[in-house]
């Protein structure tokens, strides 16, 4: 009996050795680290983005990172983008997609992840909790926690926000005072007869004293959390959207007719510190705020009270990644303090030219102690201590955070379409557009 047992054991061992030696058998080749970059950049910027990112990977390779890697940039538009997304979606669903995704949503409404939060809940993304405990570069306690938590589910952290934004108005402190609050709502500001309140919600119009505006769409940042991804339900109604769009159009008409009213000088920024470092004086130039002028920041409030922020760029690792540690090392490096301060790739393609398209995630940055580089990396800037504390007060009033997903883009495009109808650029009915858009978004959320 013993001889039979030994013979069987020997045969099994031989069979295993042979199997490992046969082509196509044994442990599956891990292959190179695959990284998907969706950066919404012009063709002329592709070479720079690739070069800057390769420099990061080469640096990490010297300290235990992936020795082999493949970078895939998703085309920014057209049929090439749609073809790339179709292939990526097929790979992601089969568990054979890229290891690491680095997304800057830009203004694309065809997305790698139409609903990032649903992707996390549906098991497509990796739980990062254990990897985060071993971070070499990122101080997680120093990241803006309300924004970081947007990438969490009840099971852990699946998505890492890399930059975020919100709308605000910047007044000279000598003219206007305001204390940011989590209790103030958009409805209160819209119902106010105070011209400062109305100016602070009117991004398409305003008084002649408004020196600069991004003329950005704002409805998506006035509704609080936009969707419940477990219940697959929108958390806003068509009536709430209608009230906001009609109020925006009303204020724009008053502005165009010269009836909006008078305000002190102010500036409206999508993000950023409230000044433009390329020009010198708030009081002289048309679109400037001098760096050392004491400012009052008034955020655009939302229906639930406080500030709604939007995650512009984020990173996630595929649940089926064969390079979990190497992929996380890249993510960890990007969110490290030095990267957020000075690294060109983070600054230009994730936070957007010195935070003018997205705030960095580290809560210390933009202070005098922790300045931030502009896109080229040579010039640095920071807020005065007084203005930095004012900005922190707005940041502390964040009560809701949304990713730039299909719902966010749907609201953004709806607002643009309604503006086109109102100004006669296109034909249609504003209320009908609103009803149809909300119906389509509700259906999309359930079907995705």
């Amino acid at each position: 009996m013993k001889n039979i047992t030994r013979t069987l054991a020997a045969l099994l061992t031989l069979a295993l050795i042979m199997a490992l030696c046969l082509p196509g058998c044994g442990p599956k080749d891990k292959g190179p680290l695959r990284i998907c970059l969706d950066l919404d950049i012009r063709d002329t910027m592709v070479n720079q983005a690739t070069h800057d990112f390769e420099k990061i990977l080469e640096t990490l390779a010297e300290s235990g990172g992936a020795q082999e890697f493949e970078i895939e940039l998703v085309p920014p538009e057209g049929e090439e983008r749609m073809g790339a997304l179709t292939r990526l979606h097929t790979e992601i669903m089969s568990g054979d997609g890229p290891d690491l995704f680095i997304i800057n949503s830009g203004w694309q409404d065809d997305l790698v992840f139409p609903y990032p939060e649903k992707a996390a809940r549906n098991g497509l993304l990796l739980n990062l909790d254990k990897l985060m405990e071993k971070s070499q570069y990122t101080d997680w306690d120093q990241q803006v926690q309300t924004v970081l938590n947007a990438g969490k589910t009840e099971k852990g952290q699946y998505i890492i926000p890399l930059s975020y934004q919100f709308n605000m108005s910047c007044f000279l402190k000598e003219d206007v005072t305001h204390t940011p609050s989590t209790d103030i709502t958009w409805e209160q500001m819209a119902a106010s007869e105070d011209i400062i309140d109305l100016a602070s919600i009117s991004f398409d119009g305003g008084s002649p004293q408004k020196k600069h505006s991004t003329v950005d769409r704002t409805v998506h940042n006035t509704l609080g959390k936009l969707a419940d991804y477990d219940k697959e339900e929108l958390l806003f109604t068509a009536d709430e959207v209608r009230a906001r769009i009609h109020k925006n159009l009303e204020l724009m008409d008053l502005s165009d007719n010269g009836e909006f009213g008078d305000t002190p000088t102010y500036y409206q920024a999508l993000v950023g510190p409230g000044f433009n470092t390329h020009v010198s004086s708030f009081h002289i130039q048309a679109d400037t705020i001098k760096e050392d002028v004491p400012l009052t920041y008034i955020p655009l409030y939302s229906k639930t009270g406080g500030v709604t922020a939007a995650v512009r760029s984020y990173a996630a690792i595929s649940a089926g990644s064969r390079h979990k540690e190497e992929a996380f090392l890249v993510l960890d490096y990007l969110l490290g303090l030095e990267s957020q301060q000075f690294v060109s790739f983070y600054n230009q393609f994730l936070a957007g030219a010195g935070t003018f398209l997205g705030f960095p995630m580290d809560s210390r940055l933009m202070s005098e102690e922790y300045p931030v580089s502009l896109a080229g990396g040579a010039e640095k800037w920071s807020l005065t201590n007084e203005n930095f504390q004012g900005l922190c007060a707005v940041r502390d009033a964040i009560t809701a955070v949304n990713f730039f997903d299909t719902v966010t883009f749907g609201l953004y495009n709806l607002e643009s379409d309604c503006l086109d109808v109102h100004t006669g650029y296109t034909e249609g009915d504003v209320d009908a557009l609103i009803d149809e858009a909300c119906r389509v978004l509700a259906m999309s959320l359930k079907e995705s």
Side-chain angles (χ1 to χ4, degrees):
M1 185 67 179
K2 289 182 179 178
N3 289 336
I4 294 175
T5 302
R6 289 174 184 161
T7 301
L8 288 173
L11 288 172
L12 288 171
T13 301
L14 180 60
L16 178 60
I17 293 172
M18 291 179 65
L20 291 174
C21 294
L22 289 173
C25 297
K28 195 169 185 179
D29 182 16
K30 293 173 68 173
L33 172 67
R34 289 183 61 197
I35 303 170
C36 172
L37 300 180
D38 187 16
L39 303 176
D40 187 33
I41 55 177
R42 300 185 303 274
D43 290 340
T44 55
M45 301 295 288
V46 168
N47 288 339
Q48 181 183 342
T50 304
H51 175 265
D52 290 349
F53 192 65
E54 285 178 345
K55 286 176 60 179
I56 292 174
L57 296 178
E58 290 166 0
T59 297
L60 294 176
E62 298 174 359
S63 58
Q67 301 300 307
E68 297 182 4
F69 51 82
E70 291 180 356
I71 301 172
E72 177 175 352
L73 272 82
V74 182
E77 59 186 355
E79 293 184 4
E80 289 185 350
R81 179 175 180 83
M82 296 306 298
L85 289 178
T86 298
R87 177 179 52 77
L88 278 170
H89 292 159
T90 301
E91 291 182 347
I92 291 168
M93 294 304 295
S94 69
D96 198 32
D99 299 284
L100 174 63
F101 298 91
I102 298 173
I103 310 292
N104 185 346
S105 301
W107 305 112
Q108 301 287 355
D109 51 7
D110 297 309
L111 307 173
V112 173
F113 293 106
Y115 295 100
E117 292 169 87
K118 286 192 72 174
R121 285 166 168 76
N122 291 341
L124 298 178
L125 305 179
L126 183 69
N127 187 324
L128 303 174
D129 285 357
K130 292 183 179 180
L131 292 169
M132 291 170 68
E133 294 173 0
K134 303 176 183 179
S135 287
Q136 300 180 38
Y137 299 97
T138 305
D139 186 338
W140 296 104
D141 290 337
Q142 292 292 347
Q143 308 311 300
V144 179
Q145 296 301 304
T146 50
V147 179
L148 183 64
N149 289 341
K152 278 187 175 181
T153 73
E154 64 282 353
K155 295 181 180 179
Q157 189 88 37
Y158 288 83
I159 307 169
I160 302 296
L162 297 174
S163 68
Y164 65 101
Q165 60 182 212
F166 50 74
N167 304 85
M168 65 181 179
S169 301
C170 313
F171 293 84
L172 296 178
K173 198 164 190 175
E174 65 187 37
D175 296 329
V176 175
T177 59
H178 179 84
T179 301
S181 170
T182 58
D183 297 323
I184 300 174
T185 67
W186 181 91
E187 281 75 10
Q188 290 173 330
M189 299 284 275
S192 173
E193 296 182 358
D194 187 326
I195 190 63
I196 299 298
D197 289 345
L198 295 178
S200 297
I201 68 170
S202 176
F203 276 67
D204 268 316
S207 77
Q209 281 66 46
K210 180 161 74 170
K211 294 302 182 184
H212 181 72
S213 175
T214 56
V215 195
D216 192 61
R217 308 282 74 82
T218 60
V219 165
H220 62 285
N221 278 342
T222 67
L223 289 164
K225 192 66 179 172
L226 294 176
D228 183 322
Y229 295 95
D230 290 321
K231 297 181 180 179
E232 298 181 328
E233 294 177 352
L234 298 179
L235 296 177
F236 59 87
T237 67
D239 285 341
E240 289 171 331
V241 175
R242 196 179 342 270
R244 283 155 171 73
I245 288 179
H246 279 291
K247 187 65 177 181
N248 290 347
L249 297 176
E250 172 195 334
L251 293 174
M252 184 186 70
D253 288 346
L254 290 174
S255 174
D256 289 345
N257 295 331
E259 303 172 14
F260 184 88
D262 198 11
T263 67
T265 302
Y266 69 108
Y267 169 107
Q268 283 183 325
L270 174 63
V271 293
F275 61 85
N276 187 328
T277 58
H278 294 295
V279 282
S280 59
S281 171
F282 178 99
H283 303 281
I284 299 173
Q285 301 291 339
D287 61 351
T288 64
I289 293 178
K290 195 173 181 180
E291 295 181 29
D292 58 357
V293 172
L295 300 174
T296 292
Y297 300 119
I298 303 181
L300 181 67
Y301 290 102
S302 63
K303 72 171 185 178
T304 52
V307 178
T308 297
V311 173
R312 171 64 75 191
S313 61
Y314 64 90
I317 297 174
S318 170
S321 171
R322 299 172 191 156
H323 297 274
K324 297 178 176 62
E325 290 78 11
E326 294 97 329
F328 181 78
L329 185 63
V330 179
L331 187 164
D332 186 20
Y333 179 87
L334 286 174
L335 214 57
L337 178 63
E338 183 176 348
S339 170
Q340 292 193 51
Q341 275 191 282
F342 305 126
V343 172
S344 176
F345 181 81
Y346 177 87
N347 186 274
Q348 183 155 357
F349 300 109
L350 300 179
T355 81
F356 290 101
L357 291 179
F359 285 117
M361 280 292 295
D362 194 296
S363 60
R364 297 167 290 185
L365 295 182
M366 297 180 290
S367 65
E368 291 182 345
E369 185 177 359
Y370 296 98
V372 178
S373 293
L374 292 175
E379 186 178 357
K380 300 177 179 63
W381 58 263
S382 64
L383 294 169
T384 64
N385 285 333
E386 183 177 8
N387 285 341
F388 181 69
Q389 292 305 315
L391 186 63
C392 288
V394 176
R395 191 172 64 199
D396 290 343
I398 294 174
T399 55
V401 182
N402 298 301
F403 285 87
F404 263 71
D405 64 8
T406 299
V407 172
T408 306
F409 278 116
L411 290 172
Y412 192 96
N413 291 334
L414 168 64
E415 192 173 358
S416 294
D417 292 343
C418 290
L419 181 64
D420 288 342
V421 169
H422 184 74
T423 56
Y425 184 75
T426 60
E427 295 183 356
D429 180 86
V430 168
D431 289 339
L433 284 175
I434 294 170
D435 289 336
E436 177 63 10
C438 291
R439 183 188 69 80
V440 170
L441 290 176
M443 289 178 55
S444 171
L445 188 58
K446 289 186 177 298
E447 293 173 355
S448 63

